[in-house]
Amino acid sequence: MSSVSFANPLIQSNSVFNNSQKFNPKSFSFLHPWNPLSSFSSKSIKKPSFNLRISAAQTRVETELRPVVEQNDQKGVFSFKDYMVQKANLVNQALNDAVSLRDPLKIHEAMRYSLLAGGKRVRPVLCLAACELVGGSESAAMPAACATEMIHTMSLIHDDLPCMDNDDLRRGKPTSHRMFGEDIAILAGDALLAFAFEHIAVATEAGVSPERVVQAIGELAKATGTSGLVAGQVVDIDSEGSNDVGLELLEYIHVHKTAALLEAAAVMGAILGGGSNTEVEKVRKFARQIGLLFQVVDDILDVTKSSEELGKTAGKDLAADKATYPKLLGIEKSKEFAETLKREAGEALAGFDPAKAEPLIALSNYIAYRQN
């Protein structure tokens, strides 16, 4: 694919996807995460009911989907709202069951506080939908779906820390470090990171081959580390306040910081669902496009919506002098770019059963037109 042309503000959407080695950020390291889940006392701890928390999460999903339901639903054929609410409820219950309240209490309270705080569950639903696209069962991909949400939650906890983006609000609630302190917040993120991989390895149903489980774990690890999320975050930090950030570097940041985990979620679903190599790669291409689309829309919302509408602090990218698509392209060109990415995502699913692809097409529309 062609590289970015700086003469054309509507950049080629997949320039960095096939040239990820072109940019060589300076070397960096990060601490190997400590896993406090490795040893617990065996004493039984009474687990309180979290039905109210799950009910609140369902209400939040329904509220957040409402603005775009009409654009996605086809009456009498497919209800995107019903699909998302159903899948999100299943994911919420699976997350609640996976990360139970046990000893040490404080760390598990902190993990659950952020993990069960609501959210649209886009990544786990993407994983489940990709699994079903290739003919797999929902249950085969549920542990992997939960794992992506654990890692996503870890990234939010760490991203909100004073040493990073220094944010006090997440999903309409005080951030983890505001509730539990910086030390516990860091450890809660580390614990979720470690447990995500354990959960796929231990909880994936016996009908899935060990080879596919290992392949899925490898995809998630790559998306999380210095080939994915960590790489994007480090380059993002290094680029703050710089006047030298162009479209190619901005795309590198977003592809690694945001799109990589969305891609891993979809690809894991296709792998665990029994997809062929060709099918997996088609799903990968789809997910790469909507992964970048997600961040482009996020950039637009950051400068067009209020903190109340977003459920997080609005305008923080501008305050931190970060490069964003609206900053480099303007709002209208950014919206045009988002439409291009959405179209290319749909094209990547050509050849699949249209009925099975419908949830993914609707999901790409939702990401494109979401309001928070």
Side-chain angles (χ1 to χ4, degrees), residues 161 175-186:
L161 289 168
T175 48
S176 181
H177 68 276
R178 297 294 294 173
M179 287 295 294
F180 297 94
E182 291 180 42
D183 49 0
I184 297 300
I186 292 170

Side-chain angles (χ1 to χ4, degrees), residues 142-314:
M142 184 60 79
C146 290
T148 62
E149 194 67 10
M150 292 174 195
I151 288 180
H152 175 56
T153 302
M154 171 278 295
S155 73
L156 300 182
I157 293 173
H158 287 179
D159 202 42
D160 290 335
L161 289 168
C163 63
M164 302 284 266
D165 278 1
N166 193 22
D167 217 331
D168 295 333
L169 190 67
R170 174 68 67 178
R171 289 172 174 167
K173 300 175 62 178
T175 48
S176 181
H177 68 276
R178 297 294 294 173
M179 287 295 294
F180 297 94
E182 291 180 42
D183 49 0
I184 297 300
I186 292 170
L187 294 176
D190 289 348
L192 286 168
L193 174 63
F195 185 61
F197 295 101
E198 177 186 338
H199 191 57
I200 298 176
V202 172
T204 301
E205 62 185 29
V208 180
S209 72
E211 291 79 12
R212 287 186 178 269
V213 174
V214 170
Q215 188 180 355
I217 290 173
E219 287 285 343
L220 188 58
K222 183 178 179 181
T224 304
T226 57
S227 294
L229 195 157
V230 170
Q233 182 69 26
V234 168
V235 178
D236 190 24
I237 291 170
D238 284 349
S239 301
E240 284 186 17
S242 172
N243 294 321
D244 297 327
V245 179
L247 292 172
E248 188 169 3
L249 181 56
L250 179 61
E251 187 175 334
Y252 178 95
I253 292 170
H254 287 339
V255 165
H256 290 77
K257 184 178 177 180
T258 302
L261 189 55
L262 281 155
E263 178 184 333
V267 170
M268 284 196 299
I271 291 170
L272 296 170
S276 66
N277 290 339
T278 299
E279 290 174 327
V280 169
E281 290 312 307
K282 283 185 176 182
V283 169
R284 186 187 301 279
K285 184 177 180 181
F286 165 82
R288 285 177 174 180
Q289 303 306 92
I290 67 165
L292 185 54
L293 171 64
F294 190 96
Q295 189 59 56
V296 173
V297 173
D298 218 46
D299 284 357
I300 294 170
L301 293 175
D302 188 66
V303 296
T304 60
K305 298 293 181 179
S306 67
S307 297
E308 287 186 357
E309 290 172 310
L310 294 178
K312 59 183 180 180
T313 305

Side-chain angles (χ1 to χ4, degrees), residues 10-11 17 36 46 69 91 96 103 116 138 163 166 169 216 225 235 245 297 317 320 332 340 362 370:
L10 190 60
I11 67 173
F17 295 147
K46 185 178 179 181
V69 165
V91 170
N96 180 64
D103 193 29
L116 302 178
E138 179 182 87
C163 63
N166 193 22
L169 190 67
V235 178
V245 179
V297 173
D317 290 339
E332 291 308 313
T340 298
R370 65 193 176 95

